[in-house]
Amino acid sequence: MTKNPIPQWPVADFDPVRRLHVIAATAPGAARVGETVIDAPFERVWSVAQDLERTMPLWIPDVRTVRLTTPLSTGPLQARIHGHTRLRATFAIDLAPGWCLMQSRLVLGGMAARPETDRTTRFAFLGGLRFRGARFLAPALRPFSGDPLARFAALLDEE
């Protein structure tokens, strides 16, 4: 039996929520990640979260409309998002079970989920601006953004 001369590298595999924290820590302008545990199974939470066109306008305060411009089945997603303020942007979207990262030229957003137990789900949300110095602007904008995590939990209660 031949011994493998190449050492095995350690592997760091992050769950989606931890991965969102890494994005927030490394992306200029990203605000902190908000997290909550929702009293609903992962499948239910994620089915609502990933329905971007229907549910995002209901729980993210500045989003008025989301329109996918590429079909879900064709590969990389794009969406056109209009806000209640002056937000009008095309976002590239990385969407997978428990993971959604969206970015336009100036805005970064994300959500992540993982089962906490078989009846609860840890859900995280990230919003940020993608330009130098935006991290310092985030605390000033927080009073205008509401609490998206509480709005998402309330949306699940209504569904």
Side-chain angles (χ1 to χ4, degrees), residues 94-126:
D94 179 11
L95 182 65
W99 176 256
C100 180
L101 188 65
M102 305 173 68
Q103 52 187 337
S104 71
R105 189 171 61 84
L106 296 175
V107 178
L108 172 69
M111 57 184 165
R114 67 170 167 79
E116 188 79 359
T117 69
D118 47 336
R119 282 185 248 147
T120 61
T121 302
R122 182 165 296 275
F123 185 78
F125 175 76
L126 163 70

Side-chain angles (χ1 to χ4, degrees), residues 28-45:
R32 67 180 175 80
V33 174
E35 249 183 79
T36 191
V37 175
I38 297 173
D39 192 20
F42 172 82
E43 293 76 19
R44 181 165 169 248
V45 169

Side-chain angles (χ1 to χ4, degrees), residues 51-66 82 84 151 155:
D51 189 353
L52 304 176
E53 288 179 308
R54 185 178 70 83
T55 64
M56 276 184 70
L58 299 175
W59 67 276
I60 299 179
D62 187 42
V63 173
R64 186 169 35 104
T65 61
V66 176
H82 290 182
H84 294 287
R151 290 172 66 132
L155 175 62

